[in-house]
Amino acid sequence: MSADEREQLAEGTLISHLVELRDRLLRAVICIGIVFIPCAIYSNQLFTLVATPLIQKMPAGTSMIATSLVSPFLAPLKLGLFVALFISMPYVLYQAWAFVAPGLYKHEKRFAVPLVVSSIVLFYAGVAFAYFVVFPLMFAFFTTSAPAGVQMMTDMQNYLDFVLLLFFAFGIAFEIPVATVLLASTGMVSVDTMGKNRGYVLLGIFVVAAFLTPPDAISQTMMAGPMYLLYEIGILLSRFLLKKRAESKPSDDET
């Protein structure tokens, strides 16, 4: 094969990959758009659902407010877009997986599939933990800590930005077992090193939680506690997977 033929083949392969990437991205965007339609229609109900943990803890006779003329329309619509992305995430990640899967070896696919699935489940679990566990405790503390003569009136746009940040923070925090397994499986950090440095990790987790959560001990502890527990779970999973990999090597060598 001549140099020109090899160049044409490489160019054709690159173009085909770009076309496939475009198609995958287009499918993901279409899926988000389709899911966004009912989310936009019921955006006010979705906002009420997200605001329920705060509304239930607010003093009697108070309510949320809108300090901008367009906030009552744009804030629920923004939430609807994020909910559509949240619901569509498995399909979006499937499109990403379908694009990269042909270039992976068989053993890499066996390792990647449960990793992708577990990362999705853990992210959803982090969001659910924030909504059902953290928000009621945190808002109960905030609504009762106002000084005398100060009436709590929360702007709906500020509240939405606040809860979306916490949703994302807890979702990412719950990915710690996946990150731990990846670090151990790739050899970047050994499992023994992870175990020996528990104290530094715990300190780092509390520092991260202090930056991602409001400045109160309750919300900080509510994030740092599960993060450290998930770190220990990640260590256990890493030991188990590395042990399984070591046991499978002799059979692989024999074949």
Side-chain angles (χ1 to χ4, degrees), residues 50-247:
V50 172
T52 298
L54 175 61
I55 294 174
Q56 291 178 342
K57 303 298 181 181
M58 294 181 71
T62 60
S63 63
M64 300 184 71
I65 62 173
T67 57
S68 172
L69 181 65
V70 295
S71 290
F73 172 74
L74 290 183
L77 201 63
K78 177 182 178 181
L79 176 61
L81 179 59
F82 275 92
V83 172
L85 180 61
F86 182 78
I87 296 175
S88 305
M89 191 54 63
Y91 184 78
V92 173
L93 292 179
Y94 167 75
Q95 293 300 324
W97 165 254
F99 178 73
V100 302
L104 299 178
Y105 293 105
K106 188 175 181 180
H107 68 278
E108 291 175 334
K109 292 181 181 179
R110 289 199 303 264
F111 177 74
V113 171
L115 209 61
V116 172
V117 173
S118 60
S119 64
I120 297 174
V121 173
L122 286 172
F123 186 85
Y124 286 168
V127 173
F129 181 80
Y131 181 82
F132 291 105
V133 179
V134 178
F135 285 0
L137 295 175
M138 183 172 58
F139 294 150
F141 171 77
F142 286 158
T143 54
T144 57
S145 61
V150 176
Q151 186 176 14
M152 182 176 180
M153 301 178 68
T154 304
D155 176 61
M156 62 185 302
Q157 183 63 56
N158 291 337
Y159 173 79
L160 179 61
D161 294 340
F162 176 76
V163 297
L164 288 178
L165 175 62
L166 285 186
F167 279 148
F168 182 76
F170 275 90
I172 295 299
F174 271 57
E175 300 291 335
I176 287 181
V178 176
T180 305
V181 171
L182 282 175
L183 289 174
S185 61
T186 56
M188 295 180 63
V189 181
S190 67
V191 180
D192 292 335
T193 302
M194 294 180 186
K196 292 178 181 178
N197 295 315
R198 284 185 172 92
Y200 297 105
V201 172
L202 181 61
L203 178 62
I205 285 175
F206 269 94
V207 172
V208 171
F211 277 102
L212 294 179
T213 58
D216 67 282
I218 295 178
S219 55
Q220 182 181 0
T221 304
M222 292 298 291
M223 172 173 275
M227 285 177 68
Y228 182 75
L229 178 62
L230 290 169
Y231 177 75
E232 293 290 346
I233 294 175
I235 292 178
L236 293 177
L237 289 175
S238 300
R239 294 185 188 277
F240 175 77
L241 291 176
L242 291 177
K243 182 179 179 181
K244 287 292 184 181
R245 180 184 293 181
E247 293 175 353

